[in-house]
Amino acid sequence: MSMIDAFYNALFALNLVYNFALEPLFLLFFARLLGISYLNPYSITVFALLPVRLLWLLAGPSVHFTDGVFDGTYQYLILLENLHFTLRTGVAGLLVFYLSRDDVAGRFIDRFHFQPMSAERLRLCALLFFGVFALSFVITASWSFGLLNWLMSPRTGYQLHRAGAGPFYAMAVSMIAVSYILAMLAASSQRRIIATWLVYLPFVFLLGSKGYLVVYTVTAFAFMLIYGFKIRISTVAAVGLVMSAAVLLNFGSADLVDIFLYFDYYSNSAYFVRAYQNGLTDLFYGEISSTEIIGVVPRALWPGKPFVYGATLLNEMFYPGMAEAGHTPAFGGPILAYADFGVPGVVLHGLTDWSYLGAVLMAFMLLTRLRDRGPQFVRTHHFYIFLTMMMLAPGYLNFFQFPLNVGIMGFVAATIMAFNLFPRTRFIRFA
């Protein structure tokens, strides 16, 4: 290997290390600035999933590219992602630094004194939303696969039999998440947190995605932190390793190459970048972002709704017909912003990544209230119940775009507030 090759390989390795370390470093900065533990409900998900992220970062590219992780197109994608990460974490860091100086929003919200939510009413609300989940799940499973078939093979149902029942599946995912968070808020000890997790896990399994099992487990750890129970970083690391092993075992193969081929997160993006750089295709110039709104309309209400719109425009270039068959391959890095407007699109999205900035803002408000007022305040104050839901409910509002997501949030908020105002009855007393 020549000195030039060694130099470039060193730069490529540094590119990967920067990508892997930037978000954890921001979380450490976040915790230090707020004077809270490095391991908190906001950071635990990122820390626990670091081994899984490492699989995406190294496993797939090592078998998808001839030069492995030193492939030029892959490194360019990582560089784009690093640019996006740097911009959005820089803006988020400024936001946290500014908010930490004067908690105007938190003090304004605390002026609204709602009747505190009791544990019994939280449990009753959890039961109600679980009922909505059960109904939505039964409709989804019965749509084309059959309830018994889905119960016997949830993975097959999830992969091949959601077409036409997508809105009901989305409702099932969101409602069990809401139910889970409310049940966790009603818990008050480690034993009850663990019991709640064990009760919900079999039903989460029915959703068909192993990822939900992982995130529900991490959420249980987050609630232990909310209630002030001590968790060691070594425990989180062990959970991360177990989750990584579970991801690999899920493929049912002993051939690591076959398993690693599944991690096509970045190789799918590389197909577009190479095609664009070789002049085989052009940018979409906003067509991807502008057509996402089509996803708001359920196919049941619009039978002629196109299968290809938004992110699936990129899929259709390399996987014709896959979107219509219900398969949507994932893409790595800020490739959708790049496919729309190139590097300027990546820069613009990095500076205005509202979903990430919103998550940071919610984390700031929730963690400062936990620090200053304690878990009892958070678990009984309506606003912070909704905030906990937005931050920690696994899959909540997945698949729902504006304005449907606002409608779901309104339904959840109105239901919880109505149950809290409902006169005390024997049914509520024994909930």
Side-chain angles (χ1 to χ4, degrees):
M1 180 185 295
S2 68
M3 291 293 293
I4 296 296
D5 290 337
F7 175 73
Y8 276 113
N9 286 346
L11 286 180
F12 289 165
L14 185 61
N15 197 30
L16 292 172
V17 170
Y18 182 85
N19 182 279
F20 186 72
L22 184 59
E23 191 164 21
L25 288 175
F26 170 70
L27 293 174
L28 297 180
F29 160 79
F30 187 96
R32 182 68 179 269
L33 188 64
L34 299 186
I36 59 178
S37 171
Y38 292 137
L39 200 58
N40 56 68
Y42 181 53
S43 67
I44 189 171
T45 301
V46 174
F47 290 152
L49 294 177
L50 279 179
V52 179
R53 171 158 174 74
L54 197 60
L55 283 174
W56 286 106
L57 199 61
L58 300 180
S62 68
V63 295
H64 277 283
F65 302 116
T66 303
D67 296 327
V69 296
F70 296 111
D71 179 84
T73 306
Y74 172 62
Q75 286 291 331
Y76 181 68
L77 286 172
I78 295 299
L79 189 63
L80 287 176
E81 192 167 59
N82 287 347
L83 173 63
H84 183 263
F85 275 4
T86 302
L87 291 173
R88 77 173 190 175
T89 51
V91 174
L94 291 174
L95 176 68
V96 173
F97 181 76
Y98 173 76
L99 291 175
S100 64
R101 298 170 59 188
D102 191 6
D103 186 18
V104 177
R107 288 189 284 108
F108 175 76
I109 290 166
D110 289 350
R111 289 184 177 183
F112 298 91
H113 299 289
F114 297 99
Q115 180 181 346
M117 288 284 287
S118 64
E120 60 188 11
R121 289 180 186 256
L122 284 169
R123 284 193 291 270
L124 186 61
C125 283
L127 186 61
L128 172 71
F129 287 112
F130 184 85
V132 179
F133 151 74
L135 178 62
S136 302
F137 170 74
V138 169
I139 295 174
T140 302
S142 305
W143 194 270
S144 64
F145 195 36
L147 180 58
L148 183 60
N149 290 330
W150 191 297
L151 293 175
M152 296 295 292
S153 182
R155 184 67 178 172
T156 304
Y158 165 75
Q159 290 182 315
L160 303 176
H161 297 279
R162 288 181 295 158
F168 296 104
Y169 181 81
M171 182 65 76
V173 170
S174 288
M175 291 301 100
I176 193 172
V178 170
S179 177
Y180 185 63
I181 294 301
L182 292 174
M184 282 294 185
L185 286 169
S188 57
S189 66
Q190 281 185 313
R191 182 176 296 178
R192 288 188 175 182
I193 290 173
I194 294 172
T196 301
W197 169 68
L198 290 174
V199 166
Y200 276 84
L201 218 54
F203 298 100
V204 174
F205 175 77
L206 295 178
L207 295 176
S209 172
K210 302 298 189 296
Y212 287 130
L213 295 175
V214 171
V215 181
Y216 270 74
T217 301
V218 174
T219 301
F221 278 99
F223 271 93
M224 289 185 185
L225 291 172
I226 285 177
Y227 286 113
F229 302 120
K230 298 296 182 181
I231 298 177
R232 295 180 179 181
I233 293 181
S234 58
T235 303
V236 177
V239 170
L241 292 174
V242 169
M243 289 190 298
S244 299
V247 168
L248 296 177
L249 290 173
N250 181 48
F251 296 100
S253 172
D255 190 335
L256 283 180
V257 174
D258 287 342
I259 294 173
F260 287 176
L261 284 171
Y262 176 82
F263 295 93
D264 55 359
Y265 193 58
Y266 288 100
S267 62
N268 290 325
S269 299
Y271 296 146
F272 176 81
V273 173
R274 284 175 177 162
Y276 174 63
Q277 290 177 341
N278 293 328
L280 301 177
T281 187
D282 198 4
L283 300 177
F284 286 87
Y285 298 105
E287 188 179 359
I288 292 176
S289 54
S290 63
T291 57
E292 284 287 354
I293 191 68
I294 294 176
V296 170
V297 185
R299 194 170 298 279
L301 299 179
W302 183 10
K305 174 181 171 181
F307 287 94
V308 181
Y309 58 87
T312 54
L313 287 166
L314 208 54
N315 294 343
E316 197 67 13
M317 289 182 61
F318 308 103
Y319 303 96
M322 291 289 281
E324 188 171 356
H327 300 286
T328 52
F331 288 89
I335 192 63
L336 297 181
Y338 178 81
D340 254 348
F341 298 109
V343 176
V346 174
V347 172
L348 180 62
H349 189 261
L351 292 172
T352 58
D353 191 346
W354 304 117
S355 60
Y356 183 75
L357 293 177
V360 170
L361 177 60
M362 288 188 290
F364 172 83
M365 297 183 69
L366 181 63
L367 294 178
T368 51
R369 281 301 168 274
L370 282 171
R371 180 194 65 192
D372 299 336
R373 306 289 291 271
Q376 186 61 29
F377 177 78
V378 168
R379 69 189 287 228
T380 60
H381 193 291
H382 286 69
F383 178 80
Y384 293 102
I385 291 174
F386 303 141
L387 204 58
T388 304
M389 215 171 286
M390 292 295 295
M391 264 195 65
L392 297 178
Y396 180 47
L397 301 180
N398 274 11
F399 316 110
F400 288 111
Q401 298 174 336
F402 181 84
L404 292 180
N405 54 1
V406 176
I408 297 297
M409 285 190 287
F411 165 68
V412 171
T415 302
I416 292 175
M417 295 182 71
F419 263 83
N420 201 34
L421 296 173
F422 196 79
R424 185 180 178 86
T425 65
R426 180 175 299 178
F427 181 63
I428 289 179
R429 191 162 57 249
F430 288 101

